[in-house]
Amino acid sequence: MRFAIKTRPEHTTWERIRDVWIAADDFEIFESAWNWDHFYPLSGDPAGSNLEAWSMLAALAQATRRIRIGCQVSGMIYRHPALLANIAASVDIISAGRLELGVGAGWNQQECDAYGIELPPLKERFDRFDEGVQAIIGLLTQEQTTFQGQYVKLTEAFCEPKPVQRPHPPIVIGGKGPNRTLRAVAKWAQQWNAITESPEQWRELKEVLVTRVRRGGSRPGRDHLLGERPHRPRRAAGAGR
């Protein structure tokens, strides 16, 4: 069993979060530390403060020395996959190879409406997500990447410098949809993050994931199941597929 902390960067200060991560860094029982990728608080006053995820991760990488760091998870709708790949490579370098690259399809309608970010229908959203993950992996691993998807197009694209971790930082895919999400986890992820309503639901989804991994010709490992600790969310996280 592995233990981690997750700090919700809402209604708080940078100094408090920094101090919590520095303290956790001193306790080896904590393997990793996580934030989230939202622009509005998910509880309380939506006009309250909420610190941006990747800016924080870069700073927290410098503030810590041992603990692995990550975002649980980064919405693909918020940044072009090429931009996210470059950010992730830089944060992995800043952290000396401690990044866990968490990604998800995205769901927050309120944030999208406020910022004019398109939140496509579910099928298109997951199609875009699948293409985005493949593009990110290509950029982080290949000298040049050409990708011709329906939504993501890269032409002889560079992403330099490459991350410290090779072939790339571990990919964490978040979500609990048994069809599109768990299929993506089985194909591309090293870890799975899910918020479930009960231990029973977690076990059911775990079996779906194990079956999908085996169908893909891999042997399910413990890394696939990292970060699935079941608990009740404070706010519903949108529909999964």
Side-chain angles (χ1 to χ4, degrees):
M1 181 178 292
R2 295 184 259 179
F3 294 93
I5 67 165
K6 182 174 181 179
T7 53
R8 299 163 63 101
E10 59 175 7
H11 308 301
T12 189
T13 64
W14 154 248
E15 290 79 12
R16 288 187 66 187
I17 291 180
R18 178 200 60 200
D19 292 348
V20 168
W21 282 48
I22 290 173
D25 196 38
D26 289 333
F27 290 90
E28 291 194 3
I29 191 171
F30 296 119
E31 181 188 67
S32 56
W34 305 80
N35 63 4
W36 70 23
D37 188 24
H38 290 288
F39 306 116
Y40 280 20
L42 297 188
S43 66
D45 183 1
S49 64
N50 189 87
L51 293 160
E52 195 276 328
W54 285 96
S55 303
M56 289 179 60
L57 282 183
L60 290 164
Q62 283 285 280
T64 55
R65 56 177 176 78
R66 174 198 61 84
I67 202 164
R68 297 190 63 79
I69 64 173
C71 176
Q72 214 172 63
V73 289
S74 193
M76 194 71 75
I77 56 174
Y78 295 142
R79 301 166 190 84
H80 190 281
L83 173 61
L84 185 54
N86 278 270
I87 293 171
S90 294
V91 172
D92 196 54
I93 292 167
I94 293 167
S95 67
R98 291 183 285 132
L99 177 67
E100 309 277 335
L101 178 49
V103 289
W107 60 269
N108 194 302
Q109 188 73 60
Q110 182 184 34
E111 292 175 337
C112 290
D113 289 347
Y115 290 144
I117 298 171
E118 181 184 2
L119 185 65
L122 279 173
K123 182 184 182 303
E124 179 183 334
R125 199 183 317 166
F126 280 94
D127 290 344
R128 288 177 177 272
F129 176 75
D130 288 352
E131 290 185 11
V133 173
Q134 294 174 78
I136 288 170
I137 291 173
L139 288 164
L140 295 179
T141 58
Q142 300 171 9
E143 183 177 344
Q144 281 186 297
T145 300
T146 295
F147 184 88
Q148 294 298 316
Q150 182 178 356
Y151 302 104
V152 179
K153 300 183 186 299
L154 305 174
T155 304
E156 298 179 353
F158 295 103
C159 179
E160 297 294 341
K162 291 287 187 280
V164 173
Q165 298 177 89
R166 304 310 305 267
H168 54 73
I171 292 175
V172 185
I173 290 180
K176 61 183 180 181
N179 297 321
R180 297 298 299 269
T181 300
L182 293 189
R183 185 192 311 164
V185 174
K187 290 177 69 173
W188 298 302
Q190 286 69 60
Q191 301 171 21
W192 172 44
N193 168 247
I195 295 175
T196 57
E197 296 176 0
S198 67
E200 291 74 25
Q201 185 187 40
W202 180 87
R203 281 191 285 268
E204 290 174 3
L205 291 171
K206 184 197 77 169
E207 291 307 315
V208 173
L209 175 58
V210 168
T211 299
R212 290 195 177 281
V213 172
R214 285 176 175 154
R215 285 177 181 170
S218 301
R219 182 167 177 247
R222 70 181 190 136
D223 279 352
H224 274 98
L225 306 179
L226 177 68
E228 302 175 37
R229 290 166 289 280
H231 63 281
R232 291 190 176 275
R234 296 190 184 182
R235 177 176 291 193
R241 293 195 75 201

